[in-house]
Amino acid sequence: MDLGVTLLTGIALCLLVQFVCFLFADADLTLLWATLFGSKPETKLKGLVVWVTGASSGIGEELAYQLAGCGSRLILSARRVDQLDRVKLHCLERSNLKDKDILVLPLDLLERASHEAKMKTAIKHFGNIDILVNNGGRSQRSLCLETSVDVYQALMELNFLGTVSLTKQVLPHMTQRGSGSVVTVSSVVGLAGAPLATGYSASKHALQGFFNSLRTELTEYPRILISTVCPGPVQSQIVQNAFTEEVGKAIPTAGDQQHKMVTSRCVRLILVGIANGTKEMWIAQQPFLLFYYVWQYAPTWAWFITDVLGRKRVQNFKAGLAHPDMTLQHDNTTSHTARSLCDFLQDRNVSVLPWPAKSLDLNPIEHVRDLLDWRVRACAIPPRNLGTCWCLGGRVG
């Protein structure tokens, strides 16, 4: 009997530790395990030839810097040559690479007819391509009813077809050698929908479907890795460059990005995933990481949360109040959203209690307000009519 109690206690403690760790996690558990016990990028990626698209800013730029620090030889591609030259110079300053170890290769993903020649130039310079990182693309911030079909076409041409085209040029080289990696930066909206990003989400869903299917076609090449990266909000210039309702119309303001994951941390996790052959990476701070798992394992709950938050986000956007990113930011409208959510739950006989519940008399609106604050560490909402909504509080900082 004592042995059974001890065993159950040990299991309970283990689960508690895992739960607490998850509250502070910024990537899926497989990827975090690899960061602790897996291969290091500095060992696995040293000397490899890595082609990075979208390398002139944001995640692509940081990839170039960290790959250079790992000793990888680089092919840097984007449209802006001056920015690529700047990134190359910084790579040389931060590493032991020589000028010949970094090739600046201007590339426009929309000019698909040029991709074969670009691939041949890269092969001629280095002799091979070990890793292709598909990072180029643009986002979107506009309502579907106000968005021109030309914007949707541009998003699919750039994010999806441009990526597929370049991949199809590089992949035969990898199958001939029997090894290589194709790593594609997707997004959380490649797994779940989000308001103001219908076209962007569609292009990322298309990438997920394409590369998941491609992976199954390449099972006879076990040394070829097909990996997709699904980051949440990350500090980058993707918002500044986002499409709006018309092609060529700039976004008014990008807003503050300090609440997002720092780019260096996101890129470090990506490199760990590549070094350890991870097929799909979820990278996001809480509560966004929790949202990945809810979408994966409890889609009914996910739809409920999305409906509540998405409705308010669209209302704010129409009123000119919305932040450009799909984040749970705290502002003067949060109390109204919290009250609406409380009313919605209580109309369906769902009580709202704090967790841990120090007193059952505490104002439920304040706890739901915390739930809607972007700093909340985690939350879980059972489906309607199941009795209670538990909110896990805990603000950061």
Side-chain angles (χ1 to χ4, degrees), residues 112-394:
R112 298 197 293 272
S114 70
H115 293 176
E116 182 180 2
K118 298 294 184 180
M119 185 273 295
K120 290 181 178 179
T121 300
I123 295 293
K124 182 178 179 181
H125 186 87
F126 286 113
N128 65 279
I129 300 170
D130 295 299
I131 301 173
L132 170 64
V133 181
N134 290 310
N135 176 68
R138 290 178 66 180
S139 184
Q140 175 199 4
R141 294 296 181 274
S142 61
L143 293 168
C144 174
L145 293 177
E146 300 174 356
T147 302
S148 167
V149 174
D150 292 339
V151 171
Y152 291 109
Q153 180 176 351
L155 281 163
M156 294 302 293
E157 291 275 354
L158 177 63
N159 294 356
F160 178 62
L161 292 177
T163 298
V164 169
S165 173
L166 191 61
T167 299
K168 280 179 61 62
Q169 293 299 330
V170 175
L171 195 57
H173 167 73
M174 292 183 175
T175 56
Q176 184 178 7
R177 297 178 63 219
S179 64
S181 299
V182 178
V183 182
T184 302
V185 179
S186 179
S187 169
V188 59
V189 300
L191 302 173
L196 310 180
T198 47
Y200 179 66
S201 180
S203 68
K204 294 301 185 179
H205 272 76
L207 286 175
Q208 292 285 133
F210 175 83
F211 284 104
N212 285 341
S213 298
L214 177 61
R215 188 182 297 115
T216 65
E217 292 184 9
L218 298 175
T219 53
E220 61 183 290
Y221 300 98
R223 296 178 58 203
I224 294 181
L225 169 68
I226 303 296
S227 178
T228 52
V229 184
C230 301
V234 177
Q235 295 176 11
S236 71
Q237 294 184 2
I238 192 169
V239 177
Q240 292 93 320
N241 299 326
F243 282 103
T244 57
E245 62 270 18
E246 297 290 341
V247 176
K249 182 178 178 180
I251 193 168
T253 177
D256 182 28
Q257 297 198 50
Q258 295 305 310
H259 60 281
K260 300 180 182 180
M261 176 183 284
V262 294
T263 315
S264 58
R265 173 59 177 171
C266 175
V267 168
R268 178 62 186 182
L269 290 168
I270 292 174
L271 296 187
V272 169
I274 297 173
N276 288 275
T278 306
K279 294 179 180 178
E280 183 169 286
M281 311 175 209
W282 297 354
I283 300 174
Q285 296 172 322
Q286 297 288 14
F288 297 98
L289 183 63
L290 176 66
F291 196 57
Y292 288 72
Y293 281 91
V294 174
W295 266 105
Q296 181 78 10
Y297 300 109
T300 300
W301 296 6
W303 279 118
F304 172 79
I305 298 171
T306 302
D307 287 348
V308 172
L309 298 179
R311 183 181 302 111
K312 190 62 182 180
R313 170 135 169 80
V314 171
Q315 292 172 354
N316 285 351
F317 183 81
K318 289 180 177 179
L321 300 175
H323 187 273
D325 284 322
M326 179 62 179
T327 55
L328 305 178
Q329 281 196 286
H330 175 77
D331 55 30
N332 292 332
T333 64
T334 307
S335 294
H336 301 293
T337 307
R339 185 175 299 276
S340 298
L341 180 54
C342 273
D343 292 341
F344 181 89
L345 293 170
Q346 291 169 352
D347 285 346
R348 288 157 176 76
N349 299 318
V350 179
S351 59
V352 180
L353 302 175
W355 178 264
K358 297 179 180 178
S359 170
L360 299 185
D361 297 325
L362 295 178
N363 184 356
I365 292 178
E366 289 302 314
H367 298 292
V368 180
R369 178 183 175 128
D370 277 348
L371 168 63
L372 297 174
D373 194 313
W374 70 268
R375 292 171 294 179
V376 169
R377 274 297 178 187
C379 63
I381 303 179
R384 65 183 62 177
N385 298 326
L386 288 188
T388 304
C389 169
W390 296 100
C391 298
L392 298 171

